Amino acid sequence: MLSNYKELEQYIVEDFEEFLDEGLSLSQVTEKLLVEYHRGIVNSKVEKLVIYLTIALLCLDKGYLREDLKNNLNIMISDISLLPLKEELESEDIKKIMFDIGKFNEQIGDN
């Protein structure tokens, strides 16, 4: 169960910036984050959505998005009604996820 969307998002942002500072490419940073947060990805579909969505938005801000990440995220978004959002998240976190999904959709529409 995901305790706090904003907290997880902040950890990912910090790791993203740290890995970039280490000189890794965006593709390498993406891969390292997916490895770093593997437990959350396999343990919770909601946490997987949060992790993928956060990574995607961070990468899109830099003008890059790995195709596999984009495809997996699009599948999760299309099946969002199947995710136990209400069971795992507070209503404010659900609103933030829906807002971020909108941001993601807008940004990939521009690419």
Side-chain angles (χ1 to χ4, degrees):
M1 183 165 144
L2 183 60
S3 59
N4 186 308
Y5 176 31
K6 290 176 186 165
E7 188 175 304
L8 176 58
E9 181 183 47
Q10 187 57 41
Y11 289 138
I12 296 169
V13 168
E14 289 170 4
D15 287 340
F16 181 85
E17 291 169 355
E18 179 182 324
F19 297 151
L20 280 179
D21 288 346
E22 291 174 5
L24 298 178
S25 70
L26 286 168
S27 181
Q28 291 169 321
V29 169
T30 299
E31 188 61 33
K32 195 160 181 174
L33 287 169
L34 292 174
V35 169
E36 198 77 20
Y37 292 92
H38 178 75
R39 178 178 281 168
I41 290 169
V42 298
N43 287 338
S44 165
K45 290 180 180 182
V46 173
E47 200 161 335
K48 179 179 180 180
L49 171 66
V50 170
I51 292 165
Y52 274 65
L53 185 57
T54 303
I55 294 170
L57 290 173
L58 288 167
C59 287
L60 283 167
D61 284 346
K62 302 278 186 194
Y64 170 85
L65 182 60
R66 259 181 32 183
E67 199 65 30
D68 62 326
L69 189 81
K70 176 182 169 184
N71 292 338
N72 280 314
L73 189 50
N74 278 325
I75 290 167
M76 284 183 266
I77 291 169
S78 69
D79 294 337
I80 194 120
S81 64
L82 303 176
L83 296 179
L85 295 177
K86 290 180 181 173
E87 291 80 10
E88 294 194 29
L89 296 169
E90 300 292 324
S91 63
E92 286 303 311
D93 287 336
I94 294 171
K95 288 178 189 172
K96 173 89 168 88
I97 285 175
M98 300 314 286
F99 176 80
D100 285 348
I101 287 172
K103 248 172 67 175
F104 169 76
N105 286 330
E106 283 176 21
Q107 289 187 18
I108 62 167
D110 294 342
N111 289 342

